[in-house]
Every structure is written in C-alpha cells, then in structure tokens.
Amino acid sequence: MMHGFGGGHMYGPWAQPGARGRGLPPVAGARTIEVQAADFTFSPAEITVKAGEVVNLTLVNRGVTVHDLVVPAYRIWLVAPAGQSATTGFRALRPGEHEFYCSVPGHREAGMVGRIVVTP
Ligand SMILES: [Cu+2]
C-alpha cells in the first residue's frame, strides 16, 4: 500500500477503486467534505478544516475517466472510477496548507490540483 508515497514520483496504483492510503475508515457523524472531480478540475479546489477536526473527505468523480485525490501530507489517496465516489476519514493536525492533486499521469499538469487549509 505504500507504493506511490515517498519517492520522487507520486503515481498511485490508481486502478484500485476505494483505496484510501493511510487515511481512516469513514467516521460516523463526522462532517463530510465533498470534492468533485471532473475532466480535469477539482471543485472546490480549496477546502478548509480546523486543526484537530475529524472529517470525512469524499471524492465524487463526475468525469468520464478515473481520477484520484492524493494528499501527500496526510498519506491520503482516494480513487474513484468514472461516476463513482470514495471516502476517507482523516484528522487534521497542525494549522497549515497542504496540496492535493490527481496522480493519474497528466492530470495534475492539466489542472487537477487543490489545497487543504488547516486553520487554528
Ligand atoms: Cu484525474
């Protein structure tokens, strides 16, 4: 499962739907943040969570090709085939800003990038 993290390249084995890297299982009752993927954008491209907050992050793929959502800082990796979705729980740690992007080759360069802002 560690493939794709720690090396210079961040291409996940993105053919595995439902993988969530080192995120948590979805957390019952936690706030859900939905990020929609299209070909080739994320919406919203910026999400905000509070330090210490536990949230569920859901990737909804509205596109016609597979997309994923990688958050290297949190070892999170969500994969959603076209028309499907995937969810991970995660706990935001210290305040800061973290990039996320789609690791399918070419998609990051095409504009599939965003950031998570962790507020105090
Ligand atoms: Cu993509």
Side-chain angles (χ1 to χ4, degrees):
M1 285 303 295
M2 291 303 293
H3 180 85
F5 294 110
H9 289 280
M10 196 65 78
Y11 295 156
W14 33 265
Q16 295 180 29
R20 60 174 178 261
R22 297 181 74 186
L24 308 167
V27 179
R31 181 166 72 98
T32 293
I33 298 173
E34 185 175 298
V35 175
Q36 296 199 11
D39 310 320
F40 297 90
T41 59
F42 284 119
S43 177
E46 180 175 306
I47 62 177
T48 301
V49 298
K50 288 182 75 92
E53 185 180 10
V54 176
V55 299
N56 290 316
L57 179 62
T58 297
L59 173 67
V60 179
N61 186 352
R62 305 283 189 205
V64 298
T65 186
V66 64
H67 294 295
D68 67 9
L69 192 161
V70 177
V71 190
Y74 280 89
R75 299 285 197 269
I76 283 171
W77 170 55
L78 287 169
V79 182
Q84 296 184 38
S85 64
T87 298
T88 186
F90 85 98
R91 180 188 299 276
L93 301 176
R94 289 184 303 277
E97 296 186 2
H98 308 290
E99 183 186 50
F100 66 81
Y101 58 87
C102 178
S103 76
V104 177
H107 291 199
R108 183 181 189 174
E109 293 77 6
M112 296 194 75
V113 296
R115 64 179 179 164
I116 295 177
V117 178
V118 182
T119 61

